[in-house]
Amino acid sequence: MSASLADAAPLSPTALALRRFLRNGTALVAAAVVVLAALLAVFAPWIAPQDPTDADLFRRLCAPAWAAADTAAGYWLGCDSLGRDILSRLIHGARVSLSVAAMVVCIAAVIGTLAGLAAGYFGGWVDALISRLVDTLLGFPYLVFAIGLMAMMGPGLHNIVLALVLKEWIFTCRVVRGETLAAREQDYVEAARALGCSPGHIMLREILPNVLSPVLVVATFRMAYVIIMEASLSFLGLGVQPPTPSWGSMVSDGREFLVDAWWVSTLPGLCILALVLSINLASQGLRDAFDPRLHQSS
């Protein structure tokens, strides 16, 4: 029995990383919160107890069921200034925040990875051109850059995705470029060149699989920041437009009622806090699990 265990094939680096991640209790709880939010977003039309756009001024600013006795029946988190159910709007708002974050991060990861591979592998004028573009975009404050683009293009879901992608890809590009600069000097890349493989084959088949782990970690980290940016733009009225619910616009709608109806702004603000904190903790767990330098002695 012991001989068979000794002869067993060692676990792959990915399997070892997943095992380390599963042993991280904080990261697992955070990941569970993110998965729960994603499920709520996907099944929002069937989970939400009310129509998020159904307004009734007779329910205006009714308190949550657990905060006061004078609340409307069935409205567990109360209603906003137009009498719309806050719980239903929070559930549908998760769909907006997560869909924008997922689209922005995925598109930016693809663009940033391809640009980073080209800059790191070819070097020369290609690297100089991409690096100067990255440096130029880094010089603009993120929120100011997004506000300027949204002011030119107008509010809307597709425009906010485009505005955030135009800035977001540079963070993946910088990481992939650094990893590619190190990988192109490795023996397996030299062997592929000696065999006559094309640069495209070397970048996509040899180098890319070895930079996917840092790309995954960076993309997870950046998703939290994109959610904050989407909420900020919606708060300023430049994001998703009414009557579509968004956590940022919900916080903005309740600014005038912070004293008498604190739940209108506080509850969506807490949702943003919980989701962003959970994504950050989960991404930190992924970084700790996939970084081999942290486990060289194990």
Side-chain angles (χ1 to χ4, degrees):
M1 184 67 176
S2 59
S4 61
L5 290 176
D7 295 337
L11 294 175
S12 65
T14 302
L16 288 173
L18 290 176
R19 173 182 290 184
R20 288 191 290 264
F21 180 78
L22 293 175
R23 290 175 178 173
N24 189 333
T26 302
L28 276 181
V29 173
V33 173
V34 177
V35 171
L36 176 61
L39 291 176
L40 289 175
V42 171
F43 298 104
W46 299 275
I47 295 177
Q50 309 290 339
D51 185 345
T53 62
D54 183 21
D56 186 350
L57 293 180
F58 289 103
R59 302 191 301 261
R60 184 176 184 270
L61 299 179
C62 72
W66 43 267
D70 57 340
T71 184
Y75 295 85
W76 301 105
L77 296 183
C79 299
D80 62 8
S81 59
L82 296 178
R84 298 172 295 190
D85 180 34
I86 291 180
L87 175 59
S88 299
R89 292 179 64 79
L90 288 176
I91 294 175
H92 281 265
R95 165 174 286 194
V96 172
S97 295
L98 287 174
S99 62
V100 169
M103 286 189 289
V104 170
V105 168
C106 289
I107 297 173
V110 172
I111 297 175
T113 299
L114 294 177
L117 285 171
Y121 183 79
F122 291 112
W125 68 268
V126 176
D127 185 21
L129 177 63
I130 296 176
S131 297
R132 296 297 78 76
L133 178 59
V134 169
D135 293 338
T136 302
L137 291 174
L138 281 174
F140 291 95
Y142 202 150
L143 184 58
V144 175
F145 181 81
I147 290 174
L149 289 178
M150 294 300 296
M152 290 187 296
M153 298 185 297
L157 180 63
H158 295 90
N159 288 344
I160 194 172
V161 171
L162 177 59
L164 295 180
V165 165
L166 288 177
K167 175 82 172 182
E168 192 63 34
W169 68 272
I170 64 177
F171 302 102
T172 303
C173 178
R174 296 178 70 194
V175 173
V176 174
R177 175 184 176 274
E179 296 289 335
T180 304
L181 286 173
R184 71 178 184 179
E185 306 299 332
Q186 299 298 317
D187 292 339
Y188 64 89
V189 175
E190 295 293 340
R193 288 198 193 100
L195 291 174
C197 296
S198 65
H201 174 90
I202 295 174
M203 288 188 292
L204 298 179
R205 300 295 298 273
E206 304 295 338
I207 299 177
L208 179 59
N210 293 283
V211 302
L212 286 181
S213 292
V215 168
L216 174 63
V217 174
V218 170
T220 310
F221 265 114
R222 298 306 305 175
M223 181 171 286
Y225 200 86
V226 171
I227 290 175
I228 295 177
M229 292 300 302
E230 184 277 326
S232 301
L233 292 173
S234 296
F235 180 86
L236 296 172
L238 297 173
V240 179
Q241 295 299 291
T244 303
S246 169
W247 288 348
S249 61
M250 292 176 67
V251 174
S252 178
D253 292 341
R255 287 179 299 171
E256 301 176 5
F257 315 104
L258 286 176
V259 176
D260 300 325
W262 54 266
W263 53 89
V264 179
S265 283
T266 302
L267 294 179
L270 290 176
C271 288
I272 296 173
L273 172 64
L275 183 57
V276 169
L277 179 61
S278 297
I279 293 176
N280 281 332
L281 291 175
S283 59
Q284 182 68 39
L286 283 175
R287 188 193 71 83
D288 294 343
F290 280 90
D291 191 346
R293 293 169 294 185
L294 299 177
H295 310 280
Q296 288 178 350
S297 60
S298 61

